[in-house]
Amino acid sequence: MAVQPCVIVGLGNPGIEYATTRHNIGFRVLDALAERYRVQLTPQRRFLGEVGEALIHGQKVRLLKPTTYMNSSGQSLHALLNFYKLPLERTLVVYDDADLPLGRVRLRLSGSTGGHNGMKSIIQYCHSQQFPRLKVGIAFGDRLKQQTGPRNAVPFVLGHFSAAELAILPAVLDLAVDAIELSIQSGVEAAMNLYNGKSIPLPQS
């Protein structure tokens, strides 16, 4: 049976100082999805985040932006899933991947944290890694390894997009939202087959 998400979670850090960082691309994807469906995300203290509800391809889908800071994202998601009695297995988590080039997305049905603190928190609070995820690439060519080294990505992910990166960011957000839509309509597996091989052409750095 196809896995069709009924909860979409975008990961990021709250606050204006983080809003335009690479680490917050999960928030930006969720905002783009909400904008496409004209959904207002509103703060909900019960869920420690901003929440909205959309009708996407005939299915009711809840949208969540945890406002707990990245390292405690699981607290927010756990609260929402418990309240609505929704399964973690139908929760699609959207977050940044510093090992994936900007312009690429990658869907997976399950997996480890990949060193991502937001994912660590979700797995810790929800006691499982059996849930789909959408990784959105933020690396720009070989720049990440050149500037920060393979094991110290913090300065890079908390940095801001360059002008060249910003030029393709709207197309990247559209690609991610399209992948989410197909996941909801036809299942994550179908979206994997179509979107894991797609990419937005990068400008010359």
Side-chain angles (χ1 to χ4, degrees), residues 16-22 143 156-162 165:
I16 193 168
E17 67 270 33
Y18 296 107
T20 58
T21 63
R22 296 181 180 90
R143 188 165 147 191
F156 181 81
V157 300
L158 291 181
H160 299 274
F161 289 106
S162 68
E165 292 167 323

Side-chain angles (χ1 to χ4, degrees), residues 92-111:
L92 180 65
V93 181
V94 185
Y95 62 102
D96 59 292
D97 188 340
D99 294 322
L100 196 64
L102 183 69
R104 291 281 306 277
V105 298
R106 182 173 293 157
L107 287 142
R108 290 286 183 267
L109 286 168
S110 62

Side-chain angles (χ1 to χ4, degrees), residues 27-197:
F27 272 11
R28 295 178 80 156
V29 170
L30 201 78
D31 286 339
L33 178 64
E35 184 177 354
R36 185 175 291 188
Y37 285 90
R38 299 177 183 174
V39 172
Q40 181 72 39
L41 299 173
T42 57
Q44 299 275 346
R45 292 180 63 184
R46 173 187 287 143
F47 305 129
L48 305 169
E50 296 179 12
V51 180
E53 189 176 292
L55 191 65
I56 302 176
H57 295 294
Q59 298 192 55
K60 181 164 69 174
V61 180
R62 288 185 170 87
L63 312 182
L64 172 66
K65 287 171 62 177
T67 52
T68 54
Y69 288 96
M70 184 72 81
N71 294 5
S72 299
S73 300
Q75 188 177 0
S76 173
L77 175 58
H78 185 258
L80 184 137
L81 295 180
N82 271 2
F83 183 83
Y84 289 114
K85 304 296 187 288
L86 296 170
L88 177 66
E89 295 78 11
R90 292 188 62 198
T91 300
L92 180 65
V93 181
V94 185
Y95 62 102
D96 59 292
D97 188 340
D99 294 322
L100 196 64
L102 183 69
R104 291 281 306 277
V105 298
R106 182 173 293 157
L107 287 142
R108 290 286 183 267
L109 286 168
S110 62
S112 64
T113 69
H116 193 281
N117 287 334
M119 295 298 283
K120 287 179 185 177
S121 176
I122 289 173
I123 291 171
Q124 175 188 351
Y125 275 94
C126 298
H127 308 293
S128 174
Q129 58 186 33
Q130 300 301 311
F131 56 90
R133 65 283 312 268
L134 172 61
K135 304 177 183 183
V136 183
I138 59 168
F140 195 58
D142 292 327
R143 188 165 147 191
L144 173 58
K145 291 182 180 179
Q146 290 171 354
Q147 291 192 353
T148 63
R151 297 189 179 276
N152 182 23
V154 173
F156 181 81
V157 300
L158 291 181
H160 299 274
F161 289 106
S162 68
E165 292 167 323
L166 286 172
I168 69 163
L169 196 57
V172 171
L173 298 179
D174 282 342
L175 181 71
V177 171
D178 291 345
I180 292 169
E181 284 186 324
L182 186 59
S183 295
I184 294 166
Q185 181 181 28
S186 303
V188 174
E189 300 91 332
M192 287 170 60
N193 290 335
L194 183 60
Y195 286 99
N196 281 5

